[in-house]
Amino acid sequence: MNSHHAANDDVPFSYPVKVGHISANPVRIGLSANADELKALAKLWDVVSVEYLKSQLQVTRWKRDGIKITGDVQAGLTQSCVVTLEPVSSVVDETFEHVFVPEGSKLARMMTNEQGEIVLDPDGPDTPDQFSGDTIDVGAVVAEFAALAIDPYPRKPDVDFAGYGEAKAGEDKKPSPFAVLKDWKKD
């Protein structure tokens, strides 16, 4: 199944799934971004280009009212090297699991201690996201997990920061405004 929804600025990769159609049996969904969606994702992610984005998902019921999405996402993209600004190809290949519960569900409440402080377990599961209405956009979930896996500082192989910017910094170095005070003496 490919997504054939028009890309827009808010959600460039969209594939809504009706929650009521999800039973105890898993629903398998295969997604692949079209050319317009790839261009919109490149703009959203601030990369040179996105060559492909695809995902295989399994959507199941979770604790009666919730929905659990498990799957993988693969993307190929071109970014600008943070040192040379030359194009750098990179690949995203991630697996993920995400849970949604209806708005106001007690399953989405944050756990608190006796003082009323929210208790988070960094190694524990994430708190489920809430959805309203009867639809979850699994395409937006896929795009979000792909975006989280993008290297924020891509570099061409064997490129170091040495020699870029450091020589100029030394040449343009101005004396400290406090240098004149070092010879100043109190009377």
Side-chain angles (χ1 to χ4, degrees):
M1 218 186 287
N2 288 338
S3 67
H4 295 290
H5 302 281
N8 63 45
D9 291 338
D10 295 338
V11 183
F13 187 63
S14 180
Y15 192 86
V17 172
K18 293 265 188 211
V19 173
H21 295 167
I22 307 300
S23 66
N25 297 326
V27 174
R28 297 188 190 285
I29 302 171
L31 300 177
S32 181
N34 65 33
D36 290 338
E37 292 166 333
L38 294 174
K39 286 179 190 173
L41 287 168
K43 182 178 177 185
L44 176 68
W45 296 340
D46 194 24
V47 297
V48 175
S49 67
V50 179
E51 286 76 39
Y52 65 89
L53 173 69
K54 57 186 178 178
S55 180
Q56 293 295 319
L57 306 174
Q58 184 170 299
V59 183
T60 56
R61 281 279 175 194
W62 183 78
K63 294 189 180 183
R64 204 181 77 140
D65 291 336
I67 298 293
K68 180 173 157 182
I69 302 169
T70 56
D72 57 55
V73 59
Q74 291 95 32
L77 47 115
T78 303
Q79 298 174 267
S80 295
C81 174
V82 294
V83 179
T84 66
L85 299 180
E86 293 176 39
V88 177
S89 294
S90 57
V91 173
V92 169
D93 189 1
E94 294 288 318
T95 58
F96 65 90
E97 181 176 294
H98 202 65
V99 175
F100 288 88
V101 293
E103 201 169 42
S105 171
K106 63 182 179 182
L107 295 171
R109 289 191 196 133
M110 296 286 208
M111 300 302 295
T112 57
N113 61 16
E114 299 83 36
Q115 293 80 29
E117 297 171 332
I118 295 174
V119 178
L120 297 176
D121 179 4
D123 297 323
D126 291 338
T127 304
D129 277 347
Q130 296 183 40
F131 68 91
S132 59
D134 64 345
T135 305
I136 295 174
D137 189 346
V138 297
V141 174
V142 167
E144 180 179 340
F145 277 97
L148 290 170
I150 295 173
D151 183 357
Y153 305 106
R155 249 191 324 192
K156 287 188 77 89
D158 302 326
V159 171
D160 239 344
F161 283 107
Y164 288 94
E166 292 175 4
K168 287 184 181 178
E171 295 167 8
D172 295 341
K173 192 169 183 177
K174 295 179 182 172
S176 166
F178 300 104
V180 294
L181 297 176
K182 71 177 183 163
D183 297 327
W184 184 70
K185 294 182 181 175
K186 264 188 165 179
D187 288 336

